[in-house]
Amino acid sequence: MPSPAPTAPAAVRGSLTIRVGIVLLATIGFALSYDALRQMAVASHVRGLLTYLFPLVIDGFIAIGIVALLILRGAPLRSRLYVWALVGVATLTSIWANVVHAVGLNEGTHLLLNNATVGALSGIAPLALAGAVHLYLVMNRHLGGDGAMADETLATAPAESATSRQDRQVRHEETDDANSGVPAKANDVPMPEVKPAVAMTPTDKKAPRTDRRKRTVPDEELLTMARAMGAETGQVPRPALEKAVRAKGYSISKDGAQRAADTVRAELSAAKDAVAT
């Protein structure tokens, strides 16, 4: 029995209400945390209008870190764990500051902080600066360079589509071979028999098959050859890969060679990033 088709998010009843509710909840939570963190900035002797910027250092870092996690979802695990650690530290800092704010006001009419709390709050800004700069470097490493991040699905989804295309290409080649073999039926007409000077061996009988088109290189062997070339030279140029494939007696299209070269380049880039991280 076929399974029911998945329902699109827009078709779910009440989805718009849920989205609006999530936005309102996030806005209210940010406003309450912003007010508490601003008062903590005042109590820690931050001056003037800068007290309005202090909450953004903490809660703003949390928001940016979550967006960075979504962007880097295809990055190596070590990089994602590092970003998760930054977001976790910022979240715990925001919770701690809100708790200290509430407890301090509950004990008296004014928010008076001890030396340890004031010292810890004063260290948040430089730590956020260092974390933001390094987070930018991590994102630039995975999003820059060749212009795209090596997604984990790069070696799977394109391989599946390449397999189906290769199958279609093989079928076309077989059709062409069959068409090229049609004129051979003219040999059914009786012809004068000419005896060869030397008896044909079984190998000689297979000689006419050498005119047939060469078989397309299998995907596994193509990727193996591309990986070997990348491991040896650090590069996988498409012309060199085509030449190596044809040297082994296979046929290959330019698109197939380009897909294999791109896949191995992505694997090499991901390996370099993993080692650097």
Side-chain angles (χ1 to χ4, degrees):
M1 183 176 180
S3 58
T7 306
V12 178
R13 195 173 207 179
S15 61
L16 179 60
T17 303
I18 294 175
R19 290 193 182 101
V20 173
I22 292 174
V23 173
L24 289 177
L25 181 62
T27 304
I28 294 172
F30 176 79
L32 294 175
S33 178
Y34 184 93
D35 179 66
L37 293 176
R38 195 189 74 81
Q39 294 184 50
M40 291 290 287
V42 174
S44 61
H45 311 293
V46 178
R47 294 183 296 178
L49 297 177
L50 294 178
T51 58
Y52 294 92
L53 300 178
F54 181 78
L56 299 178
V57 174
I58 304 176
D59 290 349
F61 195 97
I62 296 173
I64 292 175
I66 292 174
V67 174
L69 284 172
L70 294 176
I71 296 175
L72 297 175
R73 60 185 178 273
L77 178 61
R78 293 178 61 181
S79 297
R80 286 183 282 128
L81 288 178
Y82 171 74
V83 180
W84 269 114
L86 292 179
V87 174
V89 170
T91 303
L92 292 176
T93 302
S94 180
I95 294 173
W96 168 76
N98 277 268
V99 170
V100 172
H101 165 263
V103 172
L105 289 179
N106 190 56
E107 291 179 349
T109 57
H110 297 286
L111 185 60
L112 298 177
L113 305 179
N114 55 37
N115 293 335
T117 303
V118 173
L121 289 173
S122 64
I124 290 177
L127 287 176
L129 172 61
V133 172
H134 196 257
L135 179 60
Y136 174 81
L137 294 177
V138 171
M139 292 188 61
N140 187 62
R141 179 192 309 159
H142 296 291
L143 298 179
D146 295 334
M149 180 176 53
D151 195 295
E152 292 176 353
T153 60
L154 184 63
T156 56
E160 294 175 358
S161 61
T163 302
S164 60
R165 292 178 183 176
Q166 294 290 349
D167 292 340
R168 289 196 298 269
Q169 183 178 357
V170 170
R171 288 197 293 270
H172 286 309
E173 291 177 356
E174 291 176 351
T175 303
D176 294 339
D177 293 339
N179 293 336
S180 63
V182 171
K185 295 182 178 179
N187 293 332
D188 296 338
V189 180
M191 297 291 293
E193 184 178 359
V194 178
K195 294 183 180 181
V198 180
M200 293 180 64
T201 62
T203 305
D204 297 330
K205 294 179 181 179
K206 296 181 181 179
R209 296 181 61 87
T210 57
D211 295 335
R212 296 172 63 88
R213 186 171 298 179
K214 296 178 181 179
R215 186 166 62 94
T216 303
V217 60
D219 293 339
E220 295 79 5
E221 188 165 353
L222 175 59
L223 287 176
T224 300
M225 296 172 65
R227 291 188 180 109
M229 185 178 297
E232 182 178 355
T233 63
Q235 298 178 354
V236 189
R238 178 182 58 78
L241 180 59
E242 292 180 10
K243 184 177 180 180
V245 170
R246 294 192 177 99
K248 287 197 172 186
Y250 292 109
S251 64
I252 185 173
S253 63
K254 290 185 178 181
D255 292 339
Q258 187 63 51
R259 284 193 299 271
D262 292 342
T263 300
V264 174
R265 289 194 195 103
E267 293 175 355
L268 293 174
S269 178
K272 291 179 180 179
D273 292 342
V275 172
T277 304

